[in-house]
Amino acid sequence: MSVYSMTGYASAQHSNANTSSEEEQKTVSNIRLGVEIRSVNSRFLDLSFRLPDELRACEPALRERLTARLKRGKVELRAALESNTSGNLPDPSIRLLQRLNTIQDNVKAWLPAATTLSVADVIRLSSNESSAAKDWQPELLALADTTLKALMSAREREGTRLAAMLQDRIQQLRMLAAQAQPLIPQLVAQQRQRFMDRWQEAMGLADGSHVPEAAQDRALTEATAFAIRIDVAEELTRLNSHLDELERLITKGGEIGKRLDFLIQELHREANTLGSKSAALELTHISVDMKVLIEQMREQVQNIE
């Protein structure tokens, strides 16, 4: 399966002049239906709709289509009915003209100073009448399906790019872990030698037999405690295990965003522990470099569905 980003945009338009019958074109050919869908990252699926009154009844069907394809993200669907000024002007019906005339007379009876309706006003109102009278649901749902398909393609392309970036960071983290691995025995050996040198120095300064023995025990105890404290083999093992799981999930694809986010948190925990146990500047630098890479991964994982 593919990896999908939660970020994407798609839009599509539909003109009645291309599909309507000749009789229908006389009334609605100047109306163009447009749909656009925007999507950004979110912890859950958050849908919102911006529909004109003529299309408000289609919201349940649109919601059903979106929830069937999308699992996470803040998604906004906008639909609009726009007049196409380059098309034929609508032909107002006699019934509409009579109604407008009656309404105008009633308004002027109470408000004599009211402005008389212009031809432009009548054309605009007749356009609204045409779009309201038509059942737009078939065209809207078909256009929404087309737009949703384009959105999924855009999210898939972005998801592929994010997956490639994550794979690159995983390989860099593996290289840093490999650099840290041989440093641990060297550090333990160096510190043990330092403790033994202190013990030898204490023996040279001691006047009796008990002090050197006590110093030797103390040196060995400190060397053992230090070796335990700086041993990060367990952290490196867990870090590599998390990287293996990250690679497996990215290869698998699908709805992996939340699991990736959890693994990134675990990676950050191991890198922090590695830094806190650091007994050498080289290991500190490796820990810092790891945390920089992990933070870059965290930012991108937030966008994966």
Side-chain angles (χ1 to χ4, degrees), residues 42-272:
S42 177
R43 292 185 61 190
F44 308 101
L45 182 60
D46 181 9
L47 302 179
S48 62
F49 299 87
R50 293 180 178 270
L51 306 174
D53 293 337
E54 299 89 343
L55 306 177
R56 186 66 63 185
C58 303
E59 181 174 328
L62 292 171
R63 184 179 295 274
E64 182 179 355
R65 275 168 163 74
L66 293 179
T67 53
R69 298 292 302 276
L70 306 174
K71 303 305 177 184
R72 290 179 65 200
K74 182 177 177 61
V75 183
E76 180 185 72
L77 184 147
R78 294 180 178 230
L81 293 169
E82 301 175 351
S83 282
N84 184 1
T85 56
S86 62
N88 297 327
L89 292 176
D91 187 8
S93 64
I94 300 299
R95 179 182 178 183
L96 175 63
L97 293 175
Q98 291 175 342
R99 184 182 178 192
L100 291 176
N101 187 58
T102 301
I103 294 175
Q104 179 174 255
D105 290 342
N106 291 337
V107 170
K108 292 184 74 66
W110 289 93
L111 301 172
T115 304
T116 304
L117 285 172
S118 65
V119 174
D121 293 332
V122 174
I123 292 175
R124 178 175 53 80
L125 292 171
S126 63
S127 298
N128 294 338
E129 179 195 42
S130 299
S131 61
K134 178 178 171 58
D135 181 13
W136 290 98
Q137 180 157 322
E139 286 90 345
L140 176 59
L141 296 183
L143 195 60
D145 288 338
T146 301
T147 310
L148 183 57
K149 183 178 179 180
L151 176 71
M152 295 302 295
S153 297
R155 286 170 58 134
E156 183 178 5
R157 290 192 300 272
E158 178 68 10
T160 301
R161 187 189 68 79
L162 294 177
M165 187 280 293
L166 292 176
Q167 291 282 17
D168 176 72
R169 300 303 187 274
I170 288 173
Q171 295 308 315
Q172 293 186 50
L173 286 170
R174 288 193 187 280
M175 292 174 59
L176 290 172
Q179 294 174 20
Q181 194 72 45
L183 293 177
I184 309 306
Q186 297 175 14
L187 292 173
V188 173
Q190 291 173 5
Q191 191 66 15
R192 181 181 294 274
Q193 185 61 44
R194 186 178 299 115
F195 285 142
M196 296 308 295
D197 291 342
R198 290 170 57 189
W199 173 60
Q200 293 291 342
E201 182 181 354
M203 287 185 62
L205 297 175
D207 295 332
S209 60
H210 296 289
V211 176
E213 183 179 354
Q216 181 182 19
D217 292 342
R218 178 65 181 272
L220 291 175
T221 300
E222 289 185 7
T224 302
F226 179 80
I228 295 174
R229 182 173 64 83
I230 69 171
D231 185 9
V232 294
E234 185 178 351
E235 284 74 14
L236 292 176
T237 299
R238 286 198 297 263
L239 188 142
N240 280 308
S241 176
H242 296 329
L243 293 177
D244 290 340
E245 182 64 12
L246 279 169
E247 282 191 310
R248 187 190 71 81
L249 289 174
I250 294 171
T251 303
K252 174 186 174 184
E255 303 166 35
I256 59 174
K258 291 184 178 180
R259 282 176 286 180
L260 290 180
D261 187 54
F262 171 77
L263 288 171
I264 293 298
Q265 294 179 28
E266 294 302 306
L267 280 177
H268 197 270
R269 189 195 312 275
E270 303 304 337
N272 269 335

